[in-house]
Amino acid sequence: MENRLSAPTRLEDIAARVGVSRSEVSRVLNGRARAGKSVGAATRDRILEAAREMNYSPHRAAQSLVSGRTNTAALMIVIDRQAKASPFLEDHDAPDELSPHYHEILGGLTYTLNEYGIHLMLAQCGGPNIDPNVAMEQIARSHTCDGLIITDMMIDDVRPAILDQTGLPYVVRGSSPQPDTVAVGMDNAAVGYEAVKYLYSLGHRRILFYNIRRELMVGQGRFEGMCRAREEFGLHATLEYRDDVHHQNGVYTSLLQRLQEPNIPTAIFAEDEISALGAERALTEAGLRVPEDVSVMTCLNARFMRLVAPHLTVLNVRLNEVASQAGHLLAKMVQGEVVEKKQVFLQPILEERGSTAPPRANI
């Protein structure tokens, strides 16, 4: 026999069972009761019970046409070998991989938006022949989502200005070059400053600071914080700075070369946890131990990295919390609430673990 799926339950079916009009069923199930004109509480309960018993599922497309909402929010990502903003890539041979920090961001956004009945959609914007900003604007104007989260902001980023013109609610996850923007991010100047301050407090003077690209707002912020600490602690002659190599392979290759030169650093700050693995690999191959010979610290807080030994000392940049706060703000905006256009920055939290120690006197 042919196996056929049963026809979906319609509003008319529920109305026939309860003995009310289709429009009344629609109002009850969509929460649009009319003051003084709706059915009583008993009939309302019968409608809801019938909908459950008959396995009624609302038609999302039809609901969107009526309400003008999709109940989705999009997180803009750019995965493209040619893209200018490429913090997503683990190395240049893997252009289609998301950085592990996205796991924390996706988790925070998904669970927070779900509290408001909003689904998270990943919006891949751009490609080999498509400007990411053009693709983002097309998404915003097509009404395929109710709001947008943009991240990995550039110091000359035009996305906030573009989205302001479309009228689509949006939140910046991070810091925005446009001051009057709803944004939630990390105080990256504090990240740069606190990293150097902590290593200095342990007794390190020869510090190698690997930074993310400075065309990104996060990289510029860390650079400014590092410069302030370098000035305050008098480390001009001994603090080395690099923002020209990135990711695991880049840091591994550059550090392995540096370790063949005199006066090697006694402490390393890596731009993220993956690049810290590259630093540890180079140190191991050079016959050096972490932290006995060289200390290594980094930032971010990907959960899976806590399984790596030695456990890395990190400045926790609270990715999940930042994403969750951004999700709350966007959901409120989608629901019509007025949200103040300002940027909120969380402070990093030092989590001292087994990869840092005072420097050896004879290294």
Side-chain angles (χ1 to χ4, degrees):
M1 294 180 62
E2 184 180 354
N3 184 19
R4 297 182 179 177
L5 295 174
S6 59
T9 300
R10 303 171 303 166
L11 295 177
E12 292 87 340
D13 301 326
I14 300 172
R17 172 181 287 195
V18 179
V20 295
S21 68
R22 179 192 182 282
S23 59
E24 199 59 60
V25 171
S26 175
R27 279 189 284 270
V28 169
L29 295 181
N30 288 291
R32 293 185 289 107
R34 300 172 298 175
K37 297 183 179 180
S38 293
V39 296
T43 303
R44 175 182 175 277
D45 290 344
R46 288 170 55 210
I47 292 172
L48 295 174
E49 180 63 24
R52 284 191 293 269
E53 291 178 354
M54 301 172 73
N55 295 317
Y56 171 73
S57 296
H59 192 289
R60 296 297 181 189
Q63 283 189 327
S64 296
L65 289 173
V66 173
S67 66
R69 288 181 51 185
T70 65
N71 295 319
T72 62
L75 170 65
M76 178 184 174
I77 60 175
V78 180
I79 307 176
D80 177 18
R81 187 185 298 273
Q82 305 300 323
K84 286 177 61 180
S86 57
F88 319 98
L89 308 187
E90 295 311 301
D91 56 53
H92 296 297
D93 296 322
D96 58 346
E97 293 185 7
L98 284 174
S99 171
H101 78 269
Y102 264 90
H103 301 172
E104 310 295 325
I105 296 171
L106 291 172
L109 286 174
T110 299
Y111 286 107
T112 299
L113 293 172
N114 185 62
E115 297 177 17
Y116 298 86
I118 299 174
H119 304 288
L120 180 65
M121 174 178 71
L122 296 184
Q124 157 62 348
C125 296
N129 302 308
I130 303 175
D131 185 325
N133 294 332
V134 172
M136 181 201 69
E137 184 174 4
Q138 289 174 344
I139 290 173
R141 295 189 183 281
S142 68
H143 303 291
T144 55
C145 60
D146 299 325
L148 195 64
I149 302 104
I150 53 177
T151 186
D152 299 299
M153 303 295 291
M154 311 292 286
I155 58 174
D156 57 354
D157 215 304
V158 298
R159 288 179 291 173
I162 292 173
L163 290 173
D164 283 340
Q165 294 177 359
T166 69
L168 183 75
Y170 72 94
V171 173
V172 171
R173 192 216 64 88
S175 53
S176 171
Q178 182 173 305
D180 56 338
T181 305
V182 180
V184 182
M186 171 55 48
D187 184 344
N188 281 292
V191 172
Y193 176 84
E194 293 296 334
V196 177
K197 176 183 176 182
Y198 168 71
L199 293 172
Y200 181 86
S201 72
L202 290 178
H204 294 283
R205 301 298 180 264
R206 299 202 304 271
I207 300 169
L208 175 52
F209 191 104
Y210 283 105
N211 192 17
I212 198 167
R213 295 174 177 84
R214 282 180 59 195
E215 61 260 34
L216 290 158
M217 293 289 291
V218 57
Q220 180 61 25
R222 290 183 192 176
F223 175 75
E224 293 172 0
M226 182 275 299
C227 288
R228 182 162 67 91
R230 183 177 61 186
E231 179 73 24
E232 181 175 333
F233 303 122
L235 299 175
H236 287 280
T238 57
L239 191 155
E240 302 175 47
Y241 173 83
R242 296 199 66 167
D243 58 18
D244 59 333
V245 292
H246 307 281
H247 315 303
Q248 184 173 354
N249 289 342
V251 170
Y252 161 76
T253 302
S254 68
L255 181 57
L256 198 60
Q257 181 179 6
R258 175 64 183 88
L259 294 175
Q260 298 172 7
E261 302 170 1
N263 299 318
I264 67 170
T266 62
I268 296 167
F269 174 79
E271 65 181 5
D272 59 26
E273 291 156 313
I274 295 298
S275 64
L277 293 180
E280 291 183 332
R281 178 182 163 201
L283 291 167
T284 299
E285 291 190 15
L288 298 169
R289 299 168 298 167
V290 176
E292 292 85 354
D293 299 318
V294 180
S295 289
V296 177
M297 74 175 297
T298 185
C299 59
L300 304 184
N301 58 324
R303 291 177 177 84
F304 79 92
M305 289 300 298
R306 298 174 188 180
L307 304 176
V308 176
H311 293 173
L312 285 166
T313 293
V314 300
L315 282 168
N316 186 338
V317 295
R318 305 163 71 178
L319 290 168
N320 189 284
E321 294 177 66
V322 170
S324 180
Q325 288 196 26
H328 281 298
L329 289 173
L330 183 64
K332 291 177 180 179
M333 295 168 71
V334 166
Q335 293 180 343
E337 294 188 34
V338 177
V339 174
E340 183 180 358
K341 288 188 175 182
K342 68 176 183 178
Q343 302 194 47
V344 177
F345 299 111
L346 279 62
Q347 295 299 306
I349 299 173
L350 176 66
E351 296 181 0
E352 189 173 15
R353 302 198 184 104
S355 66
T356 50
R360 286 173 51 193
N362 60 345
I363 191 169

